[in-house]
Each structure stands twice: as C-alpha cells, then as structure tokens.
Coordinates of all heavy atoms in Angstrom, one line a residue:
M1 N 83.6 -12.5 76.4 CA 82.5 -13.2 75.8 C 82.3 -12.8 74.4 O 82.2 -11.6 74.1 CB 81.2 -13.0 76.6 CG 80.1 -14.0 76.2 SD 78.5 -13.4 76.8 CE 78.9 -13.0 78.5
G2 N 82.2 -13.8 73.5 CA 82.0 -13.4 72.1 C 80.6 -12.9 71.9 O 79.6 -13.5 72.2
R3 N 80.5 -11.8 71.3 CA 79.2 -11.2 70.9 C 79.2 -10.8 69.5 O 80.2 -10.3 69.0 CB 78.9 -10.0 71.8 CG 78.4 -10.3 73.2 CD 78.2 -9.0 74.0 NE 77.9 -9.4 75.3 CZ 76.6 -9.6 75.7 NH1 75.6 -9.5 75.0 NH2 76.4 -10.0 77.0
T4 N 78.2 -11.1 68.8 CA 78.1 -10.7 67.4 C 76.8 -9.9 67.1 O 75.9 -9.9 68.0 CB 78.1 -12.0 66.5 OG1 76.9 -12.6 66.6 CG2 79.2 -12.9 66.8
K5 N 76.8 -9.3 66.0 CA 75.7 -8.4 65.6 C 74.4 -9.3 65.5 O 73.3 -8.9 66.0 CB 76.0 -7.8 64.3 CG 75.4 -6.5 64.0 CD 75.9 -6.0 62.7 CE 75.5 -4.6 62.4 NZ 76.1 -4.1 61.2
V6 N 74.5 -10.4 64.9 CA 73.3 -11.2 64.6 C 72.8 -12.0 65.8 O 71.7 -11.9 66.2 CB 73.6 -12.2 63.4 CG1 72.4 -13.1 63.1 CG2 74.0 -11.4 62.1
V7 N 73.7 -12.8 66.4 CA 73.3 -13.6 67.5 C 73.6 -13.2 68.9 O 73.4 -13.9 69.8 CB 73.7 -15.1 67.3 CG1 73.1 -15.7 66.0 CG2 75.2 -15.2 67.1
G8 N 74.2 -12.0 69.0 CA 74.5 -11.4 70.3 C 75.3 -12.3 71.2 O 76.4 -12.8 70.7
P9 N 74.9 -12.6 72.5 CA 75.7 -13.4 73.4 C 75.9 -14.9 72.9 O 76.8 -15.6 73.4 CB 74.9 -13.4 74.7 CG 73.6 -12.8 74.4 CD 73.7 -12.1 73.1
A10 N 75.1 -15.3 71.9 CA 75.2 -16.7 71.4 C 76.4 -16.7 70.5 O 76.8 -17.8 69.9 CB 74.0 -17.2 70.7
G11 N 77.1 -15.6 70.2 CA 78.3 -15.5 69.4 C 79.4 -16.4 70.0 O 80.3 -16.7 69.3
R12 N 79.3 -16.7 71.3 CA 80.3 -17.5 71.9 C 80.4 -18.9 71.2 O 81.4 -19.6 71.4 CB 80.0 -17.7 73.4 CG 78.7 -18.5 73.6 CD 78.6 -19.0 75.1 NE 78.1 -17.8 75.9 CZ 77.4 -18.0 77.0 NH1 77.1 -19.1 77.4 NH2 77.0 -16.9 77.7
Y13 N 79.4 -19.3 70.6 CA 79.4 -20.6 69.9 C 80.0 -20.6 68.5 O 80.1 -21.6 67.8 CB 78.0 -21.2 69.8 CG 77.4 -21.4 71.2 CD1 76.3 -20.6 71.6 CD2 77.9 -22.3 72.1 CE1 75.7 -20.7 72.8 CE2 77.3 -22.4 73.4 CZ 76.2 -21.6 73.7 OH 75.7 -21.7 75.0
G14 N 80.6 -19.4 68.2 CA 81.3 -19.3 66.9 C 80.4 -19.6 65.7 O 79.2 -19.1 65.7
T15 N 80.8 -20.4 64.8 CA 80.0 -20.7 63.6 C 79.3 -22.0 63.8 O 78.7 -22.5 62.9 CB 80.9 -20.8 62.4 OG1 81.9 -21.8 62.6 CG2 81.6 -19.5 62.1
R16 N 79.3 -22.6 65.0 CA 78.8 -23.9 65.2 C 77.2 -23.9 65.4 O 76.7 -22.9 65.7 CB 79.4 -24.6 66.4 CG 80.9 -24.8 66.3 CD 81.5 -25.5 67.5 NE 81.3 -24.8 68.7 CZ 82.2 -23.8 69.1 NH1 83.2 -23.5 68.4 NH2 82.0 -23.2 70.2
Y17 N 76.6 -25.0 65.2 CA 75.2 -25.3 65.5 C 74.2 -24.7 64.5 O 73.0 -24.9 64.6 CB 74.9 -25.0 66.9 CG 75.9 -25.5 67.9 CD1 76.6 -24.6 68.7 CD2 76.2 -26.8 68.0 CE1 77.5 -25.0 69.6 CE2 77.1 -27.3 68.9 CZ 77.8 -26.4 69.7 OH 78.8 -26.8 70.6
G18 N 74.7 -23.8 63.6 CA 73.7 -23.2 62.7 C 73.1 -22.0 63.2 O 72.9 -21.8 64.4
V19 N 72.8 -21.1 62.3 CA 72.3 -19.7 62.8 C 70.9 -19.7 63.4 O 70.7 -19.0 64.3 CB 72.5 -18.7 61.6 CG1 71.3 -18.8 60.6 CG2 72.5 -17.3 62.2
S20 N 70.1 -20.6 62.9 CA 68.7 -20.6 63.5 C 68.7 -21.1 64.9 O 68.0 -20.5 65.8 CB 67.7 -21.4 62.6 OG 68.3 -22.6 62.3
L21 N 69.6 -22.0 65.2 CA 69.7 -22.6 66.6 C 70.3 -21.5 67.5 O 69.9 -21.3 68.6 CB 70.5 -23.8 66.5 CG 70.2 -24.9 67.6 CD1 68.7 -25.3 67.4 CD2 71.0 -26.1 67.4
R22 N 71.3 -20.8 66.9 CA 72.0 -19.8 67.7 C 71.1 -18.6 68.0 O 71.2 -18.0 69.1 CB 73.3 -19.4 67.0 CG 74.5 -20.2 67.4 CD 75.8 -19.7 66.7 NE 75.8 -20.1 65.3 CZ 76.0 -19.2 64.3 NH1 76.2 -18.0 64.6 NH2 76.0 -19.6 63.1
K23 N 70.2 -18.3 67.1 CA 69.2 -17.3 67.3 C 68.3 -17.6 68.4 O 67.8 -16.7 69.2 CB 68.5 -17.0 66.0 CG 69.2 -16.1 65.1 CD 68.5 -15.8 63.8 CE 69.3 -14.9 62.9 NZ 68.6 -14.8 61.5
R24 N 67.9 -18.9 68.5 CA 67.0 -19.3 69.6 C 67.8 -19.2 70.9 O 67.2 -18.8 72.0 CB 66.5 -20.7 69.4 CG 65.4 -20.7 68.4 CD 65.1 -22.0 67.7 NE 64.7 -23.1 68.7 CZ 64.5 -24.3 68.4 NH1 64.7 -24.7 67.1 NH2 64.2 -25.2 69.3
V25 N 69.0 -19.6 70.9 CA 69.8 -19.5 72.2 C 70.0 -18.0 72.6 O 69.9 -17.7 73.7 CB 71.2 -20.2 72.0 CG1 72.1 -19.9 73.2 CG2 71.1 -21.7 71.8
R26 N 70.2 -17.2 71.6 CA 70.3 -15.7 71.8 C 69.1 -15.2 72.6 O 69.2 -14.5 73.6 CB 70.4 -15.0 70.5 CG 70.2 -13.5 70.6 CD 69.9 -12.8 69.3 NE 68.6 -13.3 68.8 CZ 68.2 -13.1 67.5 NH1 68.9 -12.4 66.7 NH2 67.1 -13.5 67.1
D27 N 67.9 -15.6 72.2 CA 66.7 -15.1 72.8 C 66.7 -15.5 74.3 O 66.2 -14.7 75.1 CB 65.4 -15.7 72.1 CG 65.3 -15.1 70.7 OD1 65.9 -14.1 70.4 OD2 64.5 -15.7 69.9
V28 N 67.1 -16.7 74.6 CA 67.2 -17.1 76.0 C 68.3 -16.3 76.8 O 68.0 -15.8 77.9 CB 67.5 -18.6 76.1 CG1 67.7 -19.1 77.5 CG2 66.3 -19.4 75.5
L29 N 69.4 -16.2 76.2 CA 70.6 -15.6 76.9 C 70.3 -14.1 77.1 O 70.7 -13.5 78.1 CB 71.9 -15.8 76.1 CG 72.4 -17.2 76.0 CD1 73.7 -17.2 75.2 CD2 72.8 -17.7 77.4
L30 N 69.6 -13.5 76.1 CA 69.3 -12.0 76.3 C 68.4 -11.8 77.5 O 68.6 -10.8 78.2 CB 68.7 -11.5 75.0 CG 69.7 -11.2 73.9 CD1 69.0 -10.7 72.7 CD2 70.8 -10.2 74.3
K31 N 67.5 -12.7 77.7 CA 66.6 -12.6 78.8 C 67.4 -12.8 80.1 O 67.1 -12.1 81.1 CB 65.5 -13.7 78.7 CG 64.2 -13.2 78.0 CD 63.1 -14.1 78.3 CE 62.9 -15.2 77.2 NZ 61.9 -16.2 77.5
R32 N 68.3 -13.8 80.1 CA 69.1 -14.1 81.3 C 70.0 -12.9 81.7 O 70.1 -12.5 82.8 CB 70.0 -15.3 81.0 CG 70.8 -15.7 82.2 CD 71.7 -16.9 81.9 NE 72.8 -16.8 82.7 CZ 73.9 -17.6 82.6 NH1 73.9 -18.6 81.6 NH2 74.9 -17.6 83.4
Y33 N 70.6 -12.2 80.7 CA 71.5 -11.1 81.0 C 70.9 -9.8 81.0 O 71.5 -8.8 81.3 CB 72.7 -11.1 80.0 CG 73.5 -12.3 80.1 CD1 73.7 -13.2 79.0 CD2 74.2 -12.6 81.3 CE1 74.5 -14.3 79.1 CE2 75.0 -13.8 81.4 CZ 75.2 -14.6 80.3 OH 76.0 -15.7 80.4
A34 N 69.5 -9.7 80.8 CA 68.9 -8.4 80.7 C 68.9 -7.8 82.2 O 69.1 -8.5 83.1 CB 67.4 -8.6 80.3
K35 N 68.7 -6.5 82.2 CA 68.7 -5.9 83.5 C 67.3 -6.1 84.2 O 66.3 -5.7 83.7 CB 68.8 -4.3 83.3 CG 70.1 -4.0 82.7 CD 71.2 -3.6 83.7 CE 72.5 -3.2 83.1 NZ 73.6 -4.0 83.6
H36 N 67.4 -7.0 85.2 CA 66.1 -7.3 85.9 C 66.0 -6.4 87.1 O 67.0 -6.0 87.7 CB 66.2 -8.8 86.3 CG 66.3 -9.7 85.2 ND1 65.3 -9.9 84.3 CD2 67.3 -10.5 84.8 CE1 65.6 -10.8 83.4 NE2 66.8 -11.2 83.6
T37 N 64.7 -6.2 87.5 CA 64.5 -5.4 88.7 C 64.2 -6.3 89.9 O 63.5 -7.3 89.8 CB 63.2 -4.5 88.4 OG1 63.4 -3.8 87.2 CG2 62.9 -3.6 89.6
C38 N 64.9 -5.9 91.0 CA 64.8 -6.7 92.2 C 63.3 -6.6 92.8 O 62.8 -5.5 92.9 CB 65.8 -6.2 93.2 SG 65.6 -7.0 94.8
P39 N 62.7 -7.7 93.1 CA 61.4 -7.7 93.6 C 61.3 -7.2 95.1 O 60.2 -6.9 95.6 CB 60.9 -9.2 93.5 CG 62.2 -9.9 93.6 CD 63.3 -9.1 93.0
F40 N 62.4 -7.1 95.7 CA 62.4 -6.7 97.1 C 62.8 -5.3 97.4 O 62.1 -4.5 98.1 CB 63.4 -7.6 97.9 CG 63.0 -9.1 97.8 CD1 63.7 -9.9 96.9 CD2 61.9 -9.6 98.4 CE1 63.4 -11.2 96.8 CE2 61.5 -10.9 98.3 CZ 62.3 -11.7 97.4
C41 N 63.9 -4.8 96.7 CA 64.3 -3.4 96.9 C 64.0 -2.6 95.7 O 64.3 -1.4 95.7 CB 65.8 -3.3 97.4 SG 66.9 -3.9 96.1
E42 N 63.5 -3.2 94.7 CA 63.2 -2.5 93.4 C 64.3 -1.8 92.7 O 64.1 -0.9 91.9 CB 62.0 -1.6 93.6 CG 60.7 -2.1 93.1 CD 59.6 -2.0 94.1 OE1 59.2 -0.9 94.4 OE2 59.0 -3.1 94.5
A43 N 65.6 -2.3 93.0 CA 66.7 -1.7 92.3 C 66.8 -2.4 91.0 O 66.5 -3.6 90.8 CB 68.0 -2.0 93.2
K44 N 67.2 -1.6 90.0 CA 67.3 -2.1 88.6 C 68.8 -2.6 88.3 O 69.7 -1.9 88.7 CB 66.9 -1.0 87.6 CG 65.4 -0.9 87.6 CD 65.0 -0.1 86.3 CE 63.5 0.0 86.2 NZ 63.0 1.1 87.0
G45 N 68.9 -3.7 87.7 CA 70.2 -4.2 87.2 C 71.1 -4.7 88.3 O 72.2 -4.9 88.1
T46 N 70.5 -5.0 89.5 CA 71.3 -5.6 90.6 C 71.1 -7.1 90.7 O 71.7 -7.7 91.5 CB 70.9 -4.9 91.9 OG1 69.5 -5.2 92.2 CG2 71.2 -3.5 91.9
V47 N 70.2 -7.6 89.9 CA 69.8 -9.0 90.0 C 70.7 -9.9 89.1 O 70.9 -9.6 87.9 CB 68.3 -9.2 89.6 CG1 68.0 -10.7 89.6 CG2 67.5 -8.5 90.6
Y48 N 71.3 -10.9 89.6 CA 72.1 -11.8 88.8 C 71.8 -13.3 89.2 O 71.2 -13.6 90.2 CB 73.6 -11.5 88.9 CG 74.1 -11.8 90.3 CD1 74.9 -13.0 90.5 CD2 74.0 -10.9 91.3 CE1 75.4 -13.3 91.8 CE2 74.5 -11.2 92.6 CZ 75.2 -12.3 92.8 OH 75.8 -12.6 94.0
R49 N 72.1 -14.2 88.3 CA 71.8 -15.6 88.5 C 73.0 -16.3 89.1 O 74.1 -16.2 88.6 CB 71.4 -16.2 87.2 CG 70.7 -17.6 87.3 CD 70.4 -18.2 86.0 NE 71.6 -18.8 85.4 CZ 71.6 -19.8 84.6 NH1 70.5 -20.3 84.1 NH2 72.7 -20.4 84.1
I50 N 72.8 -16.9 90.3 CA 73.8 -17.7 90.9 C 74.0 -19.0 90.2 O 75.1 -19.4 89.8 CB 73.5 -18.0 92.4 CG1 73.3 -16.7 93.2 CG2 74.6 -18.9 93.0 CD1 72.8 -16.9 94.6
T51 N 72.9 -19.7 90.0 CA 72.9 -20.9 89.2 C 71.5 -21.1 88.6 O 70.7 -20.2 88.9 CB 73.3 -22.1 90.1 OG1 73.4 -23.3 89.3 CG2 72.3 -22.4 91.2
T52 N 71.3 -22.1 87.9 CA 70.0 -22.3 87.3 C 68.9 -22.2 88.3 O 68.8 -22.9 89.2 CB 69.9 -23.7 86.6 OG1 71.2 -23.9 85.9 CG2 68.8 -23.8 85.7
G53 N 68.0 -21.2 88.1 CA 66.8 -21.0 88.9 C 67.0 -20.3 90.2 O 66.1 -20.0 90.9
I54 N 68.3 -20.0 90.5 CA 68.5 -19.2 91.8 C 69.0 -17.8 91.5 O 70.1 -17.7 90.8 CB 69.6 -20.0 92.7 CG1 69.2 -21.4 92.9 CG2 69.7 -19.2 94.0 CD1 67.9 -21.7 93.7
W55 N 68.4 -16.8 92.0 CA 68.7 -15.5 91.6 C 69.0 -14.7 92.9 O 68.4 -14.9 94.0 CB 67.5 -14.8 90.9 CG 67.3 -15.5 89.6 CD1 66.6 -16.7 89.4 CD2 67.7 -15.1 88.3 NE1 66.6 -17.0 88.0 CE2 67.3 -16.0 87.4 CE3 68.5 -14.0 87.9 CZ2 67.6 -15.9 86.0 CZ3 68.8 -13.8 86.5 CH2 68.3 -14.8 85.6
K56 N 69.8 -13.7 92.8 CA 70.2 -12.9 93.9 C 70.3 -11.4 93.6 O 70.7 -11.1 92.4 CB 71.6 -13.4 94.4 CG 72.0 -12.8 95.7 CD 73.2 -13.5 96.4 CE 73.5 -12.7 97.6 NZ 74.0 -13.6 98.7
C57 N 70.1 -10.6 94.5 CA 70.2 -9.1 94.3 C 71.5 -8.7 95.0 O 71.7 -9.0 96.2 CB 69.0 -8.4 94.9 SG 69.2 -6.6 94.9
R58 N 72.3 -7.9 94.3 CA 73.5 -7.4 94.8 C 73.3 -6.3 95.9 O 74.1 -6.1 96.7 CB 74.3 -6.7 93.7 CG 75.2 -7.6 93.0 CD 76.1 -6.9 92.0 NE 76.7 -7.8 91.1 CZ 76.2 -8.1 89.9 NH1 75.1 -7.5 89.5 NH2 76.7 -9.0 89.1
K59 N 72.2 -5.7 95.8 CA 72.0 -4.5 96.7 C 71.4 -5.0 98.0 O 72.0 -4.6 99.1 CB 71.0 -3.5 96.0 CG 71.1 -2.1 96.6 CD 70.1 -1.2 95.9 CE 69.9 0.0 96.7 NZ 68.6 0.6 96.4
C60 N 70.3 -5.7 98.0 CA 69.7 -6.1 99.3 C 70.0 -7.5 99.8 O 69.8 -7.8 100.9 CB 68.1 -5.9 99.2 SG 67.4 -7.1 98.0
G61 N 70.7 -8.2 98.9 CA 71.2 -9.5 99.4 C 70.2 -10.7 99.4 O 70.5 -11.8 99.8
N62 N 69.0 -10.4 99.0 CA 68.0 -11.4 98.9 C 68.2 -12.5 97.9 O 68.8 -12.2 96.8 CB 66.6 -10.8 98.7 CG 65.9 -10.3 99.9 OD1 65.9 -11.0 100.9 ND2 65.5 -9.1 99.9
T63 N 67.9 -13.7 98.2 CA 68.1 -14.8 97.3 C 66.7 -15.5 97.1 O 66.0 -15.7 98.1 CB 69.1 -15.8 97.8 OG1 70.3 -15.1 98.2 CG2 69.5 -16.9 96.8
W64 N 66.4 -15.8 95.9 CA 65.1 -16.5 95.7 C 65.1 -17.4 94.5 O 66.1 -17.4 93.7 CB 64.0 -15.4 95.5 CG 64.1 -14.7 94.2 CD1 63.5 -14.9 93.1 CD2 64.9 -13.5 94.0 NE1 63.8 -14.0 92.1 CE2 64.7 -13.1 92.7 CE3 65.7 -12.7 94.8 CZ2 65.3 -12.0 92.1 CZ3 66.3 -11.6 94.3 CH2 66.1 -11.2 92.9
A65 N 64.1 -18.3 94.4 CA 64.0 -19.2 93.4 C 63.2 -18.6 92.2 O 62.1 -18.2 92.5 CB 63.4 -20.5 93.9
G66 N 63.7 -18.6 91.1 CA 63.0 -18.1 89.9 C 63.0 -19.2 88.8 O 63.2 -20.3 89.1
A67 N 62.8 -18.7 87.6 CA 62.9 -19.6 86.5 C 64.4 -19.8 86.1 O 65.2 -19.1 86.6 CB 62.1 -19.1 85.3
A68 N 64.6 -20.8 85.2 CA 66.0 -21.1 84.9 C 66.7 -20.0 84.3 O 67.9 -19.7 84.6 CB 66.0 -22.3 83.9
Y69 N 66.1 -19.2 83.4 CA 66.8 -18.2 82.6 C 66.2 -16.8 82.9 O 66.7 -15.8 82.3 CB 66.8 -18.5 81.1 CG 67.5 -19.7 80.8 CD1 66.9 -20.9 80.6 CD2 68.9 -19.8 80.9 CE1 67.6 -22.1 80.3 CE2 69.6 -20.9 80.6 CZ 68.9 -22.1 80.4 OH 69.6 -23.2 80.1
T70 N 65.2 -16.7 83.7 CA 64.6 -15.4 84.1 C 64.4 -15.4 85.6 O 64.2 -16.5 86.1 CB 63.3 -15.1 83.3 OG1 62.4 -16.2 83.5 CG2 63.5 -14.8 81.9
P71 N 64.4 -14.3 86.3 CA 64.3 -14.3 87.7 C 62.9 -14.7 88.2 O 62.7 -15.1 89.4 CB 64.5 -12.8 88.1 CG 65.2 -12.2 86.9 CD 64.7 -12.9 85.7
F72 N 61.9 -14.7 87.3 CA 60.6 -15.1 87.7 C 59.9 -16.0 86.7 O 60.0 -15.8 85.5 CB 59.7 -13.8 87.9 CG 60.4 -12.8 88.6 CD1 61.0 -11.7 88.0 CD2 60.5 -12.9 90.0 CE1 61.7 -10.7 88.7 CE2 61.2 -12.0 90.7 CZ 61.8 -10.9 90.1
S73 N 59.2 -17.0 87.2 CA 58.4 -17.8 86.3 C 57.0 -17.4 86.5 O 56.7 -16.5 87.3 CB 58.6 -19.3 86.8 OG 58.1 -19.4 88.1
E74 N 56.1 -17.9 85.7 CA 54.7 -17.6 85.8 C 54.2 -17.9 87.2 O 53.4 -17.2 87.8 CB 53.9 -18.5 84.8 CG 54.4 -18.4 83.4 CD 54.1 -17.0 82.8 OE1 52.9 -16.6 82.8 OE2 55.1 -16.4 82.4
L75 N 54.7 -19.0 87.8 CA 54.4 -19.4 89.1 C 54.7 -18.4 90.2 O 54.0 -18.2 91.2 CB 55.1 -20.7 89.4 CG 54.6 -21.6 90.6 CD1 53.2 -22.1 90.2 CD2 55.5 -22.7 90.8
A76 N 55.8 -17.6 90.0 CA 56.4 -16.7 91.0 C 55.4 -15.5 91.2 O 55.5 -14.8 92.2 CB 57.7 -16.2 90.5
T77 N 54.5 -15.4 90.3 CA 53.5 -14.3 90.5 C 52.7 -14.6 91.8 O 52.2 -13.7 92.4 CB 52.5 -14.3 89.3 OG1 53.3 -14.5 88.1 CG2 51.9 -12.9 89.1
Y78 N 52.5 -15.9 92.1 CA 51.8 -16.3 93.3 C 52.6 -16.5 94.5 O 52.2 -16.3 95.6 CB 51.0 -17.6 93.0 CG 50.2 -17.4 91.7 CD1 50.6 -18.0 90.5 CD2 49.0 -16.7 91.7 CE1 49.8 -17.8 89.3 CE2 48.2 -16.6 90.6 CZ 48.7 -17.1 89.4 OH 47.9 -16.9 88.3
I79 N 53.9 -16.9 94.3 CA 54.8 -17.2 95.4 C 55.8 -16.1 95.4 O 56.7 -16.1 94.6 CB 55.4 -18.6 95.3 CG1 54.3 -19.6 95.1 CG2 56.3 -18.9 96.5 CD1 54.8 -20.9 94.4
K80 N 55.7 -15.2 96.3 CA 56.7 -14.1 96.4 C 57.5 -14.2 97.7 O 57.5 -13.2 98.5 CB 56.0 -12.8 96.2 CG 55.9 -12.4 94.7 CD 55.5 -11.0 94.5 CE 55.4 -10.7 93.0 NZ 54.6 -9.6 92.7
K81 N 58.1 -15.3 98.0 CA 58.9 -15.4 99.2 C 60.3 -15.8 98.9 O 60.6 -16.7 98.1 CB 58.3 -16.6 100.0 CG 57.0 -16.3 100.7 CD 57.2 -16.3 102.2 CE 56.0 -15.8 103.0 NZ 54.9 -16.8 103.2
P82 N 61.2 -15.0 99.5 CA 62.6 -15.3 99.2 C 63.0 -16.6 100.0 O 62.5 -16.9 101.1 CB 63.4 -14.1 99.7 CG 62.5 -13.6 100.8 CD 61.1 -13.9 100.3
I83 N 64.0 -17.3 99.5 CA 64.5 -18.5 100.3 C 65.3 -17.9 101.5 O 65.2 -18.4 102.6 CB 65.5 -19.3 99.4 CG1 64.9 -19.7 98.1 CG2 66.0 -20.5 100.2 CD1 65.9 -20.4 97.2
V84 N 66.2 -17.0 101.2 CA 67.0 -16.4 102.2 C 66.6 -14.9 102.3 O 66.8 -14.1 101.4 CB 68.5 -16.5 101.8 CG1 69.3 -16.0 103.0 CG2 68.9 -17.9 101.5
K85 N 66.1 -14.6 103.5 CA 65.7 -13.2 103.7 C 66.7 -12.6 104.6 O 67.0 -13.0 105.7 CB 64.3 -13.1 104.3 CG 63.8 -11.8 104.6 CD 63.2 -11.1 103.4 CE 62.7 -9.7 103.8 NZ 62.4 -8.9 102.6
K86 N 67.4 -11.6 104.1 CA 68.5 -10.9 104.8 C 67.9 -10.1 106.0 O 66.9 -9.4 105.8 CB 69.3 -10.1 103.9 CG 70.7 -9.9 104.3 CD 71.4 -9.0 103.4 CE 72.6 -8.3 104.0 NZ 73.1 -7.2 103.2
E87 N 68.6 -10.2 107.1 CA 68.2 -9.3 108.2 C 68.7 -7.9 108.1 O 69.8 -7.7 107.6 CB 68.7 -9.9 109.6 CG 68.2 -11.3 109.9 CD 66.7 -11.4 110.1 OE1 66.2 -10.5 110.7 OE2 66.1 -12.4 109.6
Y88 N 67.9 -6.9 108.4 CA 68.4 -5.6 108.3 C 68.8 -5.0 109.6 O 68.3 -5.3 110.6 CB 67.3 -4.7 107.7 CG 67.0 -5.1 106.2 CD1 65.9 -6.0 105.9 CD2 67.8 -4.7 105.2 CE1 65.7 -6.4 104.6 CE2 67.6 -5.0 103.9 CZ 66.5 -5.9 103.6 OH 66.3 -6.3 102.3
Ligands
ZN1 ZN1 67.3 -6.1 96.0

C-alpha cells in the first residue's frame, strides 16, 4: 500500500484528486486502520473491518455492526450487542 509522509494511507491515490481531498481521505483511513480495542475481550489491535460497518475481533471471534470507518458509532454507545456471539 502506498504511504506517504503527508497523506499517509491516502498515498495510494498517487498525485490524483488534489492534496486537500487526499488529506481528508487520510483522516478517515487512519481511523479505519488505527488499533481499535475489542469491546468484548478488550484486546488491543485485534479488531479489523470485514466490510463497511461490519467489524470482527481476531481474538474472541465476535462480529458486530459498527460505523463504516470506525468500529463504533455514536449509536453503539447504547447498543452493545454483537451480531454473532461466539460460544465458548
Ligand atoms: Zn475480542
């Protein structure tokens, strides 16, 4: 993945779209790839995005609906139920 000093992960877009637009994309992508903490097992950096809005933890296997680019939306503060709860 192309990464640059200025726009980080948005460096994949090369010189296209202009730097101010790429900086905005960078802010979103950095949140998406940041090390998120699992809400179920509290492991750090095990959470990844399966697809838009669907997040999964590598460690405990829980899958839940979050925001498009972050594991939690404002709404998730009230709804803390996984879609798929793994049996232990
Ligand atoms: Zn977990």
